[in-house]
Amino acid sequence: MILFLNHQNIEFHKPIDSVLFAHFGDFVIGTIGPMWTLSSILFFYLTLENQRKDLRSQEEKIKIANSELQAQIENLQEQNKQFRQERIETTFFQLFSSHHSLVRTMEIRLLGNEHKHGRECFIPLFRIYKDEYYSKNEYSIINDKIDNSFESFFEKYQETLGNYFRNLYNIFKFIDNSDIPFENKQLYTRLIRAQLSNYELLLLFYNCLSKNGEKFKVYANRYNLFNNLNQSKLLDKTHIELYERKAF
């Protein structure tokens, strides 16, 4: 504007020259307009750049927050996993202890008023079942002979063996249904298997082949229940074939 006034040599004491001021207006519009537009563009660019910086900063904060949240979730999941494992272990050992108590309280009366207690019961019980099995000569199909003989035997000693078989079955069922890796399930079932005497295993062997024990047979196969069984004590060597090979 100063340059324009100097160039035009305006005298302020004279009347206003409308044509001159029209030229002045054109000059102002032609000069300031582009400058204003340029300033607006620069301001808009700076605003966008600041917004981009803010967005990048927010994205970094969100990433950090998400990372911290993921770490918290993983930590909670690990704590929950440990809690479930501890709860399962506690329940397992309670069931296991209950089973030991049950075995200790077992008692049978034999001929001559002889009494057997605890794990001592399983030796004469298996001998009694053995006699029952060999007395069933009318059965030509081996599965029928085992099922019928064991059912007759079990009816006589249900009071003693009923709770024993049910309790042991429920421990295996609990382990199998637990939300833990299969390797851990194998560990727990090995602990049980290690506590079973050979005559317990023999009775379990034939119980699982009867109709009453067919559900237990699933776990016997799955968890190698008869891995420690003295197979020479079986009533017939061919009875091994009634199980899957992994049961041994």
Side-chain angles (χ1 to χ4, degrees), residues 121-165:
C121 296
F122 293 104
I123 297 175
L125 282 172
F126 181 69
R127 289 173 180 164
I128 293 168
Y129 170 64
K130 183 178 179 180
D131 293 339
E132 189 74 40
Y133 173 82
Y134 285 127
S135 70
K136 302 294 181 180
N137 295 321
E138 68 273 23
Y139 293 95
S140 58
I141 300 175
I142 195 68
N143 295 67
D144 292 342
K145 184 174 183 178
I146 291 174
D147 180 57
N148 188 273
S149 60
F150 200 88
E151 183 179 351
S152 299
F153 162 74
F154 185 73
E155 284 179 359
K156 299 172 185 175
Y157 296 95
Q158 183 173 2
E159 185 177 347
T160 302
L161 291 174
N163 288 336
Y164 174 85
F165 288 136

Side-chain angles (χ1 to χ4, degrees), residues 40 58-59 62 66 111 159-160 174 184 215 219 228 232:
S40 299
Q58 290 177 5
E59 287 175 356
I62 290 173
N66 286 339
L111 294 176
E159 185 177 347
T160 302
F174 168 76
N184 292 24
K215 291 182 179 179
Y219 300 137
N228 300 326
S232 65

Side-chain angles (χ1 to χ4, degrees), residues 10 20-21 24 29 37 44 46 56 68-69 75 88 92 103 110 126 153 162 165 176 179-180 193 205 209 217 224 239:
I10 297 175
L20 179 61
F21 271 90
F24 175 71
I29 293 172
T37 302
F44 181 69
L46 291 173
R56 283 195 293 267
E68 292 175 349
L69 180 61
N75 186 43
I88 290 169
F92 167 73
V103 172
L110 304 172
F126 181 69
F153 162 74
F165 288 136
D176 191 65
D179 184 21
I180 55 176
R193 195 176 65 210
F205 182 96
L209 294 177
K217 185 180 179 182
N224 323 104
H239 292 170

Side-chain angles (χ1 to χ4, degrees), residues 7 11 21 30 47 50 52 84 110 112 142 170 179 196 206 208-209 221 223-224 232 241:
H7 179 73
E11 296 180 8
F21 271 90
T47 301
N50 287 332
R52 288 193 189 98
R84 288 200 311 270
L110 304 172
I142 195 68
N170 284 324
D179 184 21
L196 302 176
Y206 289 103
C208 291
L209 294 177
N221 284 319
Y223 296 108
N224 323 104
S232 65
E241 299 171 4

